[in-house]
Amino acid sequence: MAAPVSTWMVQAGIITFTAWCNSHLRKAGTQIENIEEDFRDGLKLMLLLEVISGERLAKPERGKMRVHKISNVNKALDFIASKGVKLVSIGAEEIVDGNAKMTLGMIWTIILRFAIQDISVEETSAKEGLLLWCQRKTAPYKNVNIQNFHISWKDGLGFCALIHRHRPELIDYGKLRKDDPMTNLNTAFDVAEKYLDIPKMLDAEDIVGTARPDEKAIMTYVSSFYHAFSGAQKAETAANRICKVLAVNQENEQLMEDYEKLASDLLEWIRRTIPWLENRLPENTMQAMQQKLEDFRDYRRLHKPPKVQEKCQLEINFNTLQTKLRLSNRPAFMPSEGKMVSDINNAWGSLEGAEKGYEEWLLNEIRRLERLDHLAEKFRQKAAIHEAWTEGKEEMLQKRDYETASLSDIKALLKKHEAFESDLAAHQDRVEQIAAIAQELNELDYYDSPSVNARCQRICDQWDALGALTQKRSEALQRTEKLLETIDQLYLEFAKRAAPFNNWMEGAMEDLQDTFIVHTIEEIQGLSTAHEQFKATLPEADKERLAILGIHNEIAKIVQTYHVNMAGTNPYTTINPQEINTKWDKVRQLVPQRDQALIEEHARQQNNERLRRQFANQANVIGPWIQNKMEEIGRISIEMHGTLEDQLTHLRQYEKSIVNYKPKIDQLEGDHQLIQEALIFDNKHTNYTMEHIRVGWEQLLTTIARTINEIENQILTRDAKGISQEQLNEFRASFNHFDRDHSGTLGAEEFKACLISLGFDIANDAQKRTGIMDAEDFKTCLISVGYNLGENEFSRIMSIVDPNRMGIVTFQAFIDFMSRETADTDTADQVMASFKVLAGDKNYILADELRRELPPDQADYCIARMAPYCGPDAVPGALDYMSFSTALYGESDL
């Protein structure tokens, strides 16, 4: 039966501490049997401290008296206290008297100070460091879960795992069972004592039979394993450094792959989109062109905004990657051919140029189709009126009625023909208008030009035929006129006055029915004014009508009075009073219809003007707002208010307020769509177009995102470089002082002055005050402040401060330069030294050694990229870790 817990703990401490002390005293050629008795005179206690510390204590007293023993123990206790250990309630008298509890407490204090306290793993120490070391070493083993220094060790698998991890040939771990703790514990204790020179400090039966083994005893025993494997600890430290370096490289490679993919996708989208925007194949109908315009609106509203975000994110990712590469002492990232940020900006500029040209082409095409529709309708109306007028005219001109007519009839026919010629001449202008409209339709590439040309040709051919027939009939009548002498003057007067009046009425009807197209209120007001002027002429025209009808009434009166045989018709004209009255009534009917059409068009133009003002009112607010925000962001980016975190919080709140402004942009887009749908092509109330607003908005979003990214990179640089907030404020204040044009950059001469203001003693040759600093001047400057630069090192610094050789230095490059030389970054030599530790000081390393010390993914990463080692001491499977280490820092090809 197991002893009570308290009794076991005391007994376990005696056994463990005795074994621990003997493991060290053995080096001095002595041992102890009883820990309470053998330390009472202080001699072996002083000897133990000398062995474990490597230092000499004061000369011991060799007498047998109690005072001599107390003196020796006090010397030992004073030595322990000199090592920074506080001894509480432990006095020399208790040790000399053989107090077991005090003696065990003293030995535990010695163990803590000289065996456990110096253990440090990942910036933890003592108990936590030792526990973390155990967890790290046993993590790959199944059924092992080390959480403490008592019950986690009861099954013995933890001890076996520690041994197997460092000396796998000593234990066949695969044959151990969790349900057989006695075998596991005894196996571990026996192997440790036989092969590792670790005495058996614990008893397997006591551990298994106790609910909670003594923590101090377990810690003491486990610390012996830690010190036994201290050589392996160097390998672990080296492995940790390599893992850290490889993790940085893997993360950077992933960022590079992400950038390449995002850049390729964005360039491919631009490559697919530009041909669509450059397609200038016109449509035949207004509806089809309106659909093209709607598709373009969808592109601007739905398809392009995500790509704007992708472009912005791409630039942010590129800047972040370059910052991380600089901070980790890696070479700058150079994207694939054609995928630089500048290449994407150039492609984006081509896209926006294509957009602008496409929208202008769409609107011009819509104007052209609108003009074409108007001209085509006008052509049809004038052609129909002319064709109606010419109907029957050829048959009339081809009559030979003059051959059997009387003299008076011949005179009448002649006068009638003269009136017809007058009428024909009056219609010449209409025919010319029809031909001119057809010509304009051809010039504007009207889709139905063939039918228009055919109809126009028919009209012109008919007009030529009428002219020839008129000339022929006129000659026939003139030949007969010599035989005719009598003429009816009244009919002739009627015909002469009725013909122009009739033509005026036909022209008035044509004008009143003529379609019109206007784009401004001023234009419709002009038409309305002309219409009112026309209406003002109606009373005078009515007088002329009554006068003409009076002539006809006079003829009728004469016919009735003198019984003249007139055959019922006027021989000089086909116009009769009924026709004049009918056309006059038609003119009176068309006047109010024209009034209504003008009123409706005036209302439409007023609505268009309202849309113009509505758009202008918003655009005149949004445009300056965007400009002000751009200027405010510029000021924020160069001013100092609080810490970088405060600035970042302020900028993000600022960004949120900008994003919250988006509904106003969307509302303006809606108003712009209404304007385009109303076919409004100009707006005198504002200088801002929707394109100006769109470009400004996209630039605003991109600028705030870039500014936030710059602050984030400054935080990243500050934390990685160990720059204090005060230093960063000093750098910013000095930079802003010399950035007099607030451009966010310094010229070479400004950069030199800035460095001088921060305490750098930079020579300034009076003979070279050119306003810029060339490479040699900058090199001399760096040497003057303590930098001893070779050509390669100088080229590296120049590529960081001014990578594009533009003659300017950004703030980010400035703080990189100010902090680079003090940064605690890993180097190729450090990584190479770490690999050398893992390789056991060999010039090469084996795949098994990498897999044993590194996580699987990082071990595979190294194996896949390391070249075979070709030195004279090479063995099969040897890998060259030296070239691999230099390649990580861009000093050779991987």
Side-chain angles (χ1 to χ4, degrees), residues 874-885:
V875 299
L879 299 174
D880 186 356
Y881 61 79
M882 296 183 183
S883 63
F884 175 79
S885 299

Side-chain angles (χ1 to χ4, degrees), residues 435-605:
I437 293 172
Q439 179 63 28
E440 189 171 358
L441 286 171
N442 278 289
E443 292 173 354
L444 293 177
D445 197 20
Y446 182 52
Y447 76 97
D448 199 21
S449 290
S451 63
V452 169
N453 293 336
R455 189 172 185 181
C456 180
Q457 189 61 47
R458 288 195 299 272
I459 290 173
C460 291
D461 291 343
Q462 185 186 41
W463 183 255
D464 293 338
L466 286 176
L469 291 173
T470 300
Q471 181 64 27
K472 184 177 179 180
R473 183 173 178 84
S474 177
E475 292 174 353
L477 289 173
Q478 288 175 3
R479 286 194 303 268
T480 312
E481 185 181 15
K482 295 178 182 180
L483 302 174
L484 305 175
E485 295 177 356
T486 306
I487 185 167
D488 189 339
Q489 293 297 326
L490 288 175
Y491 271 155
L492 182 58
E493 184 181 356
F494 178 89
K496 287 183 178 182
R497 296 185 67 174
F501 184 71
N502 181 70
N503 191 59
W504 175 85
M505 287 192 297
E506 287 181 348
M509 288 188 293
E510 182 177 351
D511 291 341
L512 290 171
Q513 296 178 86
D514 190 16
T515 59
F516 55 83
I517 177 171
V518 296
H519 295 98
T520 65
I521 290 180
E522 289 77 12
E523 291 177 358
I524 192 62
Q525 287 175 343
L527 291 178
S528 298
T529 300
H531 183 61
E532 291 301 321
Q533 292 174 350
F534 167 76
K535 290 196 293 184
T537 64
L538 290 178
E540 188 66 28
D542 193 33
K543 291 181 181 179
E544 177 66 11
R545 179 182 67 87
L546 294 176
I548 293 172
L549 293 178
I551 294 173
H552 182 271
N553 292 336
E554 183 67 19
I555 292 172
K557 182 177 180 181
I558 293 174
V559 168
Q560 184 178 6
T561 302
Y562 297 101
H563 306 287
V564 176
N565 183 15
M566 300 303 297
T569 60
N570 189 331
Y572 303 113
T573 182
T574 58
I575 301 172
N576 55 59
Q578 292 77 17
E579 184 177 355
I580 290 175
N581 286 330
T582 299
K583 290 183 178 180
W584 176 256
D585 292 340
K586 180 65 175 178
V587 169
R588 297 300 298 268
Q589 291 173 4
L590 290 174
V591 168
Q593 294 177 11
R594 185 73 167 185
D595 287 336
Q596 184 62 32
L598 291 172
I599 290 171
E600 291 175 356
E601 182 60 27
H602 190 273
R604 190 175 78 87
Q605 290 302 324

Side-chain angles (χ1 to χ4, degrees), residues 21 34 89 161 196 273 385 420 549 802:
C21 292
N34 186 307
S89 301
L196 304 178
T273 304
I385 293 172
F420 172 77
L549 293 178
D802 184 14

Side-chain angles (χ1 to χ4, degrees), residues 574-765:
T574 58
I575 301 172
N576 55 59
Q578 292 77 17
E579 184 177 355
I580 290 175
N581 286 330
T582 299
K583 290 183 178 180
W584 176 256
D585 292 340
K586 180 65 175 178
V587 169
R588 297 300 298 268
Q589 291 173 4
L590 290 174
V591 168
Q593 294 177 11
R594 185 73 167 185
D595 287 336
Q596 184 62 32
L598 291 172
I599 290 171
E600 291 175 356
E601 182 60 27
H602 190 273
R604 190 175 78 87
Q605 290 302 324
Q606 284 182 323
N607 183 64
N608 288 354
E609 184 67 11
R610 181 186 62 79
L611 290 177
R612 288 188 182 95
R613 291 183 181 276
Q614 180 174 311
F615 177 84
N617 290 339
Q618 291 190 78
N620 289 337
V621 172
I622 293 174
W625 182 87
I626 290 176
Q627 182 62 34
N628 289 338
K629 293 301 178 185
M630 290 289 288
E631 294 173 357
E632 289 176 10
I633 293 172
R635 288 196 297 272
I636 291 174
S637 66
I638 63 174
E639 293 175 355
M640 294 184 298
H641 297 291
T643 65
L644 289 178
E645 286 75 5
D646 294 338
Q647 296 177 37
L648 185 60
T649 300
H650 178 58
L651 280 172
R652 284 176 174 160
Q653 292 173 349
Y654 202 78
E655 181 184 37
K656 184 177 180 182
S657 69
I658 290 175
V659 172
N660 290 339
Y661 202 76
K662 181 63 163 58
K664 295 185 181 296
I665 305 296
D666 295 336
Q667 181 180 356
L668 191 66
E669 283 281 7
D671 291 341
H672 179 63
Q673 181 172 345
L674 293 176
I675 282 179
Q676 287 192 329
E677 290 173 350
L679 301 178
I680 299 172
F681 303 111
D682 52 33
N683 193 339
K684 65 182 180 181
H685 304 297
T686 181
N687 293 324
Y688 294 100
T689 66
M690 196 63 233
E691 182 64 24
H692 292 152
I693 299 297
R694 288 175 189 144
V695 172
W697 176 251
E698 292 171 0
Q699 290 177 346
L700 179 60
L701 292 178
T702 300
T703 300
I704 186 64
R706 284 174 178 163
T707 304
I708 289 174
N709 179 244
E710 289 175 0
I711 298 299
E712 290 173 340
N713 284 340
Q714 290 177 27
I715 292 174
L716 189 62
T717 302
R718 180 200 66 192
D719 295 342
K721 302 287 187 175
I723 303 173
S724 68
Q725 186 63 46
E726 291 73 16
Q727 286 177 307
L728 200 61
N729 289 342
E730 182 183 3
F731 293 161
R732 171 55 83 181
S734 182
F735 189 92
N736 288 348
H737 176 76
F738 292 98
D739 181 19
R740 295 181 176 87
D741 59 357
H742 305 296
S743 65
T745 61
L746 297 181
E749 196 66 25
E750 293 172 330
F751 180 50
K752 180 194 294 183
C754 182
L755 290 178
I756 293 173
S757 74
L758 291 171
F760 287 86
D761 183 14
I762 300 177
N764 186 8
D765 190 344

